[in-house]
């Protein structure tokens, strides 16, 4: 039953009203029964980005998630059974940091669990609190607080998503730390392990000394930092010296070789010889390698274990020893490299023990100066340094035991398959494909997935202890699929009892957790019921769409493609939609780390959700959009559009169409012919994932419809009943019906409100308009000509400083013979809207309104 048309239509309150209606009616629920009957091809499944449930959403989230939602709504109206879940990315470092700041605690796994624990405080961001001021608590207590806070954050996020009008099926939501998600992640890892795709290695690892955790290649960020080149003198065997330049003199004790380009004539005589390091007196070889840069520094470099990623390549390819001196805390370790044998060298190293990298650099420069091995003054520079994307200190490279998944870096067949699947994927926009290909081709190492954190998915492994109580890391004990999910720190290993934990001949549990991307890379499996609900999985997988930000192609898109390739040898979706970034008024990308983000709650409340959605939808995929919260022009335009939709609907519904009324008048037929093309073009744009073009096409027509057509035909629509009057009303009603559906994906609240005034059910359950619904029996040029003529009449009155309501005795419309002939079908309407007693026509060079004679002198 339709609802009454209000006296004064308004946008206020529509979000609460329609959000409740949609939820109670199950408007957006995935209809599994209908999907089973229709089959996989009739399902449109979306691998929705699970936002990090730590802190608050910002306007960038609203921007990109709106892009996804308009697609979901379009597909639903096109008869697809839309599977549109929402996930929450709970686990990982952002959640841990938020819990530390929010509750004033930090995790200490050595402490016992405290029942009914009450944290020191609740609330606030606590960003100024230091680790020393945070209360240490057990791992279990810490995880409980993580669980508690993420659940509360997710409630707030869901409320905002509902206010925005996302047509998500909330019955299909998931959490990346739920028991089901842990089971899925652990099972996928065990499959990787069984196939030899997951392996453990003691290797150089990018390490964040603040968070005490390993960092993967995809999580790196270059930041320009001040530094200095120090020129050092190494002693040659013949008594001479060779000089090198380095920005990291503190790693001199870890030097394992010097290296130069094989074609560099300056050093060819040195290749195969040895030199001695200053201060520490260690003999190291001089080697050749193509990565050495003749034009950088002195042209010959010091290889240390490890100063940067190039050092790792040289170390591996030249088969050099490992003399790591920096520990996981970012300080010089106590044990000197075995290669330092002289008493002076040992004493020099002893003076470095326990120092930070910065302090060690200062001390080594002092030692070099004392030894006369520092040449000249250091040359100050600015250079890019590797950081963890969430860290604030440069990364170190330390040797640690970590778990990896093969990703094609050292497997040409796998790399080629990943590139092949990338070409099969439909990219929107297409130019984003090259970013994926560049990433795959540029991989330098396998995917490091283990993390030394607390709130995450545990690696489902244990290690046997020998008769001395030492772990045998080469013989991991894997969990059985039936036992998942497991926590190796709390559950005993298969075949063991808990009292054998930590004792000789027993076992120890793996304490590391998986990188959060190792779980998020399985979002299709998490949402789609992989190995949990085969019926659902077969309906939704492979998914139809992966929408996401362009900045996580290398992480989320690639890692999901990798896991799908390893498990099913197929791409996980048919299409990928990449949104651009939101830029602040200074054209800088909005991000939490830069502190320039805008939270959307106030914007939504002030302007309304339809207005904000309109702003987001006007940007094409892959295009960055500026946002100025002080002057949100596009949002204001969106609000104006939504209000106009309500008012235009009210106006049109004021005319009751006679039953069976036909559209017979040329102007009405012309309008519908124009609308026919609008529907076809907007549908084609939407089908090609160009929602912004679809909106632009519909909106451009809508304003012409309101500003021109409504004005042209309202006199006739108000007139005496008859074929001409019925034709106008029928055209108005049909155009309204179609336009509301064209706008429904973009401004869902206003359109469903307007729809409810004359139609049963939700507009979002209605059928997307087709060109076949709109008869194309007229000449579309007539509507354009009539609009131009109307504009001419209005301009003539404005030029005469007359009101648009001022009566006119006579006016003449001039134009080409073809134009004048066509305009005959609209002259009566033009005469009525212009209040013209006699409207004449004349043949001229262009369409103009001339010789306007007013019935009375217009007031100045």
């Amino acid at each position: 039953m339709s609802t009454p048309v209000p006296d004064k239509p308004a946008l206020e309150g529509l979000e609460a009203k329609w959000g409740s209606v949609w939820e109670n009616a199950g408007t957006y629920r995935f209809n599994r029964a209908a999907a089973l009957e229709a089959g996989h091809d009739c399902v449109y499944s979306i691998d929705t980005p699970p936002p990090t449930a730590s802190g608050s959403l910002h306007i960038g989230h609203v921007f990109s998630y709106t892009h996804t939602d308009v697609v979901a709504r379009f597909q639903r109206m096109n008869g697809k059974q839309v599977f549109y879940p929402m996930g929450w990315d709970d686990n990982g470092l952002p959640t841990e940091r938020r819990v530390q700041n929010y509750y004033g605690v930090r995790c200490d796994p050595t402490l016992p669990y405290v029942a009914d624990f009450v944290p020191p405080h609740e609330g606030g961001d606590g960003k100024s609190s230091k680790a020393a001021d945070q209360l240490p608590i057990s791992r279990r207590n810490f995880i409980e607080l993580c669980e508690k806070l993420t659940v509360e954050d997710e409630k707030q996020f869901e409320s905002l998503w509902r206010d925005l009008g996302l047509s998500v099926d909330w019955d299909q939501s998931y959490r990346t730390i739920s028991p089901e998600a842990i089971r899925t992640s652990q099972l996928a890892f065990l499959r990787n392990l069984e196939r030899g795709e997951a392996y453990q290695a003691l290797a150089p690892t990018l390490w964040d000394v603040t968070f005490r955790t390993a960092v993967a290649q995809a999580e790196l960020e270059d930041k320009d930092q001040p530094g200095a080149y120090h020129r050092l003198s190494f002693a040659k065997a013949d008594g001479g010296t060779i000089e090198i330049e380095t920005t990291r003199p503190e790693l001199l004790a870890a030097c394992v070789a010097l290296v130069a380009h094989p074609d560099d004539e300056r050093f060819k005589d040195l290749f195969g010889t040895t030199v001695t390091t200053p201060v520490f007196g260690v003999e190291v070889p001089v080697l050749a390698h193509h990565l050495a840069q003749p034009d950088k520094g002195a042209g010959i470099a010091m290889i240390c274990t490890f100063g940067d990623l190039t050092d790792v390549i040289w170390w591996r390819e030249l088969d050099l020893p490992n003399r790591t001196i920096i520990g996981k805390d970012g300080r010089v370790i106590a044990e000197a490299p075995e290669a330092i044998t002289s008493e002076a060298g040992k004493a020099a190293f002893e003076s470095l023990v326990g120092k930070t990298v910065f302090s060690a650099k200062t001390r080594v420069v002092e030692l070099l100066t004392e030894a006369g091995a520092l040449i000249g003054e250091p040359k100050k520079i600015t250079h890019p340094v590797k950081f963890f994307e969430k860290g604030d200190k440069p990364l170190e490279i330390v040797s640690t035991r970590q778990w990896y998944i093969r990703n094609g870096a050292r497997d040409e067949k796998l790399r080629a398959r990943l590139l092949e699947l990338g070409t099969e994927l439909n990219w929107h926009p297409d130019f984003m494909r090259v970013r994926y290909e560049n990433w795959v081709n540029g991989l330098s190492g396998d995917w490091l997935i283990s993390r030394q954190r607390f709130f995450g998915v545990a690696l489902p492994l244990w290690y046997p202890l020998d008769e001395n109580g030492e772990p045998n890391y080469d013989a991991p004990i894997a969990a059985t699929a039936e036992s998942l999910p497991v926590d190796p720190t709390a559950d005993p290993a298969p075949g063991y009892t808990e009292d054998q934990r930590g004792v000789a001949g027993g076992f120890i549990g793996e304490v590391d957790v998986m990188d959060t991307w190792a779980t998020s890379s399985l979002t299709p499996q998490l949402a789609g019921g992989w190995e949990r609900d085969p019926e659902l999985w077969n309906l939704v997988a492979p998914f139809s769409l992966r929408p996401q930000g362009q900045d996580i192609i290398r992480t989320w898109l690639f890692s999901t493609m990798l896991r799908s390739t390893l498990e099913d040898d197929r791409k996980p979706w048919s299409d990928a939609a990449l949104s651009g970034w939101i830029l602040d008024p200074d054209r800088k990308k909005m991000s939490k780390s830069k502190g320039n983000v805008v939270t959307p709650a106030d914007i939504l409340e002030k302007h309304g959700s339809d207005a904000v959605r309109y702003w987001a939808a006007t940007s094409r995929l892959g295009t960055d959009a500026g946002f100025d919260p002080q002057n949100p022009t596009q949002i204001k335009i969106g609000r104006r559009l939504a209000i106009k939709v309500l008012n235009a609907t009210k106006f049109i519904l004021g005319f009751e169409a006679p039953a069976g009324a036909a559209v017979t008048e040329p102007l009405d037929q012309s309008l519908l012919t124009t609308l026919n093309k609008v529907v076809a073009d907007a549908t084609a744009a939407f089908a090609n994932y160009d929602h912004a073009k679809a909106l632009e096409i519909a909106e451009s027509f809508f304003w012409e419809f309101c500003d021109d057509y409504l004005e042209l035909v309202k006199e006739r629509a108000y007139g005496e009943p008859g074929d001409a009057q019925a034709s106008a009303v029928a055209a108005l009603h049909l155009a309204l019906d179609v336009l509301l559906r064209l706008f429904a994906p973009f401004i869902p609240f206003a359109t469903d409100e307007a729809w409810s005034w004359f139609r049963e059910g939700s507009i979002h359950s209605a059928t997307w308009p087709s060109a076949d619904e709109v008869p194309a029996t007229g000449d579309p040029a007539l509507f354009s000509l009539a609009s131009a003529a109307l504009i001419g009449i209005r301009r003539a009155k404005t030029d005469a400083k007359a009101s648009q309501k001022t009566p006119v005795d006579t006016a003449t419309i001039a134009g080409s013979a073809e134009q004048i002939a066509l305009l005959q079908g609209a002259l009566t309407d033009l005469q009525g809207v212009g209040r013209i007693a006699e409207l004449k026509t004349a043949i001229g060079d262009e369409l103009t309104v001339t010789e306007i004679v007013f019935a009375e002198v217009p007031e100045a």
Side-chain angles (χ1 to χ4, degrees):
M1 181 177 179
S2 57
T3 57
V5 180
D7 293 334
K8 293 183 178 180
L11 297 177
E12 284 69 29
L14 294 186
E15 290 88 355
K17 172 184 175 180
W18 287 103
S20 176
V21 169
W22 297 333
E23 177 64 23
N24 293 334
T27 305
Y28 307 127
R29 288 195 192 114
F30 177 62
N31 189 332
R32 184 188 288 212
L36 284 169
E37 183 176 348
H40 179 272
D41 289 346
C42 287
V43 173
Y44 189 86
S45 47
I46 304 174
D47 183 15
T48 321
T52 300
S54 59
S56 59
L57 294 168
H58 60 79
I59 199 71
H61 290 103
V62 167
F63 179 71
S64 58
Y65 281 76
T66 297
H67 294 170
T68 307
D69 188 61
V70 296
V71 173
R73 290 179 177 279
F74 169 73
Q75 294 290 345
R76 191 179 289 111
M77 294 178 74
N78 270 281
K80 294 285 189 178
Q81 295 299 326
V82 175
F83 182 73
Y84 188 10
M86 177 61 68
W88 306 112
D89 195 6
D90 324 79
N91 77 78
L93 184 59
T95 298
E96 290 189 24
R97 293 182 70 181
R98 174 156 161 75
V99 166
Q100 289 170 350
N101 293 329
Y102 191 86
Y103 292 113
V105 298
R106 59 184 172 86
C107 183
D108 182 346
T110 65
L111 295 176
Y113 174 72
V114 176
D116 301 319
F117 171 73
V118 178
H121 64 75
E122 276 192 43
D125 58 20
K127 290 180 179 177
S128 60
S129 67
K130 298 178 180 178
D133 300 326
Q134 294 169 344
L135 178 68
I137 61 175
S138 74
R139 180 172 184 159
R140 184 177 163 192
N141 284 125
F142 186 77
I143 289 175
E144 286 179 352
L145 290 179
C146 290
E147 289 273 7
K148 177 182 178 182
L149 191 56
T150 53
V151 168
E152 292 304 312
D153 284 343
E154 287 157 15
K155 289 178 182 177
Q156 296 181 33
F157 284 19
E158 180 178 333
S159 175
L160 188 141
W161 285 148
R162 288 181 181 273
D163 287 345
L164 183 62
L166 295 192
S167 59
V168 164
D169 180 357
W170 291 104
D171 291 344
Q172 304 294 339
S173 61
Y174 64 89
R175 304 175 67 227
T176 61
I177 201 65
S178 69
E180 294 82 5
I182 294 173
R183 178 188 176 277
T184 298
S185 299
Q186 291 180 336
L187 180 59
F189 171 79
L190 292 177
R191 296 273 188 91
N192 295 136
L193 188 64
E194 290 168 5
R195 294 191 296 261
E197 298 151 359
Y199 66 93
Q200 185 180 208
L202 181 65
T205 305
L206 286 160
W207 188 266
D208 188 287
V209 299
T210 303
F211 300 115
R212 304 285 179 89
T213 188
V215 175
Q217 182 183 355
E219 299 170 303
L220 301 183
E221 183 177 300
D222 280 340
K223 295 182 182 180
D224 286 337
Q225 298 290 300
Y229 271 125
H230 300 74
R231 197 171 188 94
L232 315 185
S233 174
F234 283 63
K236 296 195 292 185
D238 62 5
T241 60
I242 183 71
E243 296 174 2
I244 65 101
E245 287 190 356
T246 179
T247 60
R248 302 208 62 181
E250 70 274 16
L251 295 180
L252 180 59
C255 179
V256 291
L258 299 189
V259 65
H261 195 278
D263 298 332
D264 196 325
E265 294 292 339
R266 294 172 294 176
F267 307 109
K268 279 192 173 181
D269 290 343
L270 282 174
F271 295 147
T273 68
T274 61
V275 295
T276 303
T277 63
V279 178
F280 299 102
V282 176
E283 193 174 324
V284 297
V286 182
L287 305 171
H289 195 278
H290 65 92
L291 288 182
Q293 298 174 268
D295 59 346
K296 184 175 181 180
I300 185 167
M302 175 174 72
I303 303 175
C304 299
T305 51
F306 297 91
D308 58 23
L309 292 173
T310 307
D311 277 343
V312 176
I313 296 172
W314 282 330
W315 167 79
R316 183 180 294 118
E317 295 187 1
L318 296 173
D319 195 24
L320 297 169
N322 189 336
R323 295 174 187 157
T324 300
I325 66 167
I326 304 299
K328 295 179 181 179
D329 58 356
R331 296 176 181 271
V332 177
I333 62 176
E335 188 176 349
E338 292 181 359
I340 301 177
T341 57
S342 70
E343 291 305 317
K346 290 178 180 178
F349 188 85
E350 183 64 30
S351 70
L352 303 177
V353 172
K355 291 186 181 298
T356 63
V357 170
F358 178 82
S359 298
K361 179 179 292 185
T362 302
R363 177 57 182 149
V364 170
V365 170
E366 292 172 354
L367 292 168
L368 286 165
T369 303
E370 293 168 5
L374 184 66
I375 311 301
E377 291 294 319
K379 293 184 295 185
K380 292 184 178 180
I381 61 167
T382 299
H383 60 149
V385 177
K386 300 286 182 202
F387 280 72
F388 176 34
E389 61 187 0
K390 296 180 175 66
D392 52 16
K393 288 186 178 180
L395 293 172
E396 295 297 336
I397 300 177
V398 300
S399 294
T400 59
R401 181 182 59 81
Q402 302 288 346
W403 280 93
Y404 298 83
I405 290 179
R406 302 187 192 281
N407 64 1
R410 300 186 183 90
D411 183 337
E412 284 301 324
K413 184 178 179 182
L414 176 56
R415 186 196 298 262
R417 181 59 175 152
L418 289 166
L419 290 170
E420 180 184 16
L421 291 173
T423 63
E424 293 178 8
L425 183 64
N426 299 314
W427 295 78
H428 309 285
D430 187 69
F431 68 79
M432 289 290 180
R433 182 195 314 271
V434 71
R435 302 191 186 188
Y436 170 82
E437 292 171 344
N438 288 344
W439 177 253
V440 176
N441 284 319
L443 289 167
S444 60
D446 285 331
W447 179 17
L448 189 158
I449 65 159
S450 50
R451 291 292 182 274
Q452 292 65 51
R453 303 304 304 169
F454 310 111
F455 190 53
V457 176
L459 286 156
L461 303 166
W462 299 260
Y463 304 97
L465 299 177
D466 63 18
E467 64 276 8
N468 297 316
E470 294 295 323
N472 181 0
Y473 291 116
D474 294 330
I477 305 167
T480 62
E482 297 74 29
S483 66
L484 302 178
V486 297
D487 178 0
T489 66
D491 301 321
Y496 292 83
T497 57
E498 184 59 30
D499 58 8
Q500 292 178 280
R501 184 184 296 273
V503 300
F507 71 93
I508 58 168
E510 174 64 78
V511 297
D512 287 356
V513 298
M514 295 188 209
D515 166 26
T516 186
W517 291 113
T519 298
S520 295
S521 61
L522 299 168
T523 48
Q525 289 84 349
L526 295 177
W530 175 74
E531 294 296 322
R532 184 184 76 246
D533 187 341
E535 181 181 87
L536 178 62
W537 178 247
N538 290 332
L539 277 176
V540 302
F543 277 59
S544 307
L545 179 67
R546 156 59 69 84
Q548 64 165 72
Q550 57 181 315
D551 52 333
I552 50 174
I553 290 174
R554 60 181 182 159
T555 48
W556 193 35
L557 189 146
F558 169 74
S559 62
T560 310
M561 181 74 86
L562 173 66
R563 301 303 284 278
S564 180
T565 304
L566 295 175
E567 186 64 40
D568 298 315
D569 192 32
R570 70 184 184 190
K571 61 184 185 296
W573 342 268
S574 62
D575 293 76
L578 291 305
S579 293
W581 287 328
I582 295 299
L583 307 178
D584 68 13
D586 296 325
R587 304 302 293 175
K588 295 178 181 177
K589 177 194 172 187
M590 282 192 182
S591 68
K592 290 181 181 179
S593 61
K594 290 186 175 68
N596 62 348
V597 299
V598 176
T599 54
D602 291 342
I603 301 289
L604 289 167
E605 183 176 353
K606 181 177 180 180
H607 299 283
S609 296
D610 279 347
V612 176
R613 289 173 61 98
Y614 169 88
W615 157 75
T618 56
S619 289
R620 284 177 166 82
L621 291 171
T623 302
D624 298 340
F627 182 76
D628 182 356
Q630 303 306 316
N631 187 27
T633 305
Q634 285 294 98
I635 290 179
K636 293 177 181 178
I637 294 173
R639 181 174 175 82
R640 177 171 168 252
L641 172 66
I643 291 173
K644 188 67 174 180
V645 164
L646 294 178
N647 288 332
T649 303
K650 176 180 171 64
F651 176 76
I652 292 170
L653 294 181
F655 303 106
E656 186 172 346
V663 178
T664 56
E665 296 299 301
L667 180 60
D668 306 332
Q669 292 173 337
S670 176
L671 171 88
L672 295 182
T673 301
T674 304
L675 180 57
N676 176 284
K677 188 173 189 307
V678 166
V679 171
D681 291 349
T683 302
F686 239 136
N688 197 37
Y689 290 89
D690 193 347
H691 58 260
K693 184 177 180 181
L695 173 58
E696 179 185 345
I697 291 168
E699 184 185 11
S700 176
F701 174 84
F702 175 74
W703 286 115
E704 290 181 4
F705 172 76
C706 292
D707 294 344
D708 298 338
Y709 182 74
L710 286 181
E711 289 298 312
L712 283 166
V713 303
K714 69 180 182 182
E715 295 294 328
R716 178 154 49 94
Y718 277 125
E720 290 297 320
D723 291 345
Q725 187 266 353
S727 175
V729 175
L732 285 170
H733 277 252
L734 177 56
L736 172 66
D737 188 291
V738 170
L739 280 167
L740 288 179
R741 285 180 284 157
L742 287 176
F743 282 133
F746 306 105
I747 49 174
F749 296 103
T751 51
D752 220 357
E753 173 70 8
W755 187 261
S756 73
W757 298 340
F758 68 106
R759 291 282 187 263
E760 301 295 328
S762 171
I763 193 172
H764 307 298
S765 300
T767 303
W768 180 258
S770 71
D772 293 341
E773 294 179 49
V774 188
T777 55
D779 188 331
L782 173 57
F783 175 48
S784 296
L785 279 174
S787 296
L790 176 61
I791 291 170
I793 293 169
R794 288 169 174 164
R795 185 182 298 118
K797 287 189 174 183
T798 300
D799 291 345
K801 298 182 180 180
S803 163
Q804 295 299 322
K805 296 180 180 180
T806 303
V808 173
D809 269 345
T810 62
T812 301
I813 298 177
S816 69
E818 183 181 2
Q819 289 174 328
I820 295 303
L822 195 57
L823 269 177
Q824 298 303 313
L827 288 181
T828 302
D829 291 322
L830 284 167
Q831 188 173 356
V833 71
R835 300 192 178 212
I836 302 169
E838 182 180 4
L839 183 60
K840 306 175 183 179
T841 59
I843 305 301
D845 294 332
E846 57 181 338
L847 188 71
T848 55
V849 176
T850 61
E851 301 175 15
I852 188 165
V853 178
F854 292 95
E856 57 187 53
V857 178
E859 294 182 6

